[in-house]
Amino acid sequence: MERVKLIDTGLNYDYNKLETRRKTDMVVIHHTGNPTDDDLSAQAINTSHQAQGWTCIGYHYVIRKDGTVELGRPHWTVGAHAYGENSHTIGIHVCGNFEQAKPTAAQIESLAMLLSNICTDYGLPIDSDHIAGHRDLMSTACPGKNLYEMLQKIIGKSIFYQQQ
C-alpha cells in the first residue's frame, strides 16, 4: 500500500497537556468554512486555536489545496475537532470553504490515500460507518456540501489505495 507523504511543520505546543486516545473507531472530515475559500496551513490553524485557549490545533491532519498533508496534533492523542466525539476519532481538516468551492483533485487524492493509511493502521473498515463528515455527528454544514457529496467517491478511492 502506498503511503501519503506527511509534512511535519514543527508546531509549537505543550505535549504534556495532550491526552492519549484509548480507542479509535472513526475518522471525521472537516473543512475550514471561513467566508473565503482559504488554504490555511497547520501552523496558521494552530496559532488560531491557541489564541482561543486551546493547547494546539484540534485536527490531526491538514490537507492543503495542493494536496500536501501537514501533521496537526499527534495522531495518537485525543483531538479537539468534533465536540463529544473526540475521545474516539481522528480529525482531518481539508482546507477550503466547500459550501462555496470544490476541493481540488490533489486534495481528493491525498484525502483518499490518507484515509486508506489511517484505516489500515487502526484496523478500520473503509466505509461510511468509520469515515464521516463532521455533519454526520452534529448540526453543522461541515465539511461543506461540495466535499460531503464526494465522500462515497473518496471512500471508493481509499479502498483502491488500500489494495495497491
Side-chain angles (χ1 to χ4, degrees):
M1 174 182 61
E2 188 175 353
R3 304 291 301 186
V4 70
K5 182 178 180 182
L6 302 173
I7 305 298
D8 185 346
T9 60
L11 300 180
N12 186 20
Y13 50 86
D14 185 352
Y15 280 86
N16 295 319
K17 292 185 178 179
L18 299 174
E19 294 179 53
T20 299
R21 192 176 55 256
R22 301 195 188 286
K23 172 183 172 183
T24 304
D25 62 6
M26 183 179 287
V27 183
V28 183
I29 312 301
H30 301 268
H31 76 148
T32 309
N34 286 341
T36 60
D37 183 40
D38 53 27
D39 188 26
L40 297 174
S41 67
Q43 182 61 59
I45 298 168
N46 188 56
T47 299
S48 171
H49 286 182
Q50 286 177 326
Q52 297 174 55
W54 301 9
T55 300
C56 65
I57 186 173
Y59 311 104
H60 298 93
Y61 302 95
V62 174
I63 302 178
R64 306 289 302 273
K65 294 281 189 185
D66 68 359
T68 299
V69 180
E70 297 177 346
L71 295 172
R73 70 172 50 205
H75 70 89
W76 49 267
T77 63
V78 174
H81 59 91
Y83 185 77
E85 304 290 341
N86 293 313
S87 66
H88 65 100
T89 61
I90 291 177
I92 300 174
H93 173 93
V94 183
C95 295
N97 181 335
F98 302 122
E99 285 294 305
Q100 299 174 0
K102 293 187 178 189
T104 67
Q107 284 178 307
I108 296 302
E109 293 306 317
S110 291
L111 177 56
M113 189 180 294
L114 179 60
L115 288 168
S116 172
N117 294 170
I118 291 169
C119 288
T120 298
D121 293 347
Y122 285 93
L124 302 176
I126 300 176
D127 60 27
S128 57
D129 289 333
H130 298 89
I131 298 169
H134 189 191
R135 68 173 56 183
D136 292 323
L137 304 177
M138 60 198 58
S139 180
T140 177
C142 185
K145 65 182 177 193
N146 294 322
L147 177 54
Y148 189 76
E149 289 171 353
M150 300 178 79
L151 284 184
Q152 289 307 309
K153 176 182 177 181
I154 293 165
I155 288 170
K157 285 179 171 281
S158 297
I159 293 167
F160 170 80
Y161 279 120
Q162 188 181 53
Q163 295 171 348
Q164 298 306 300

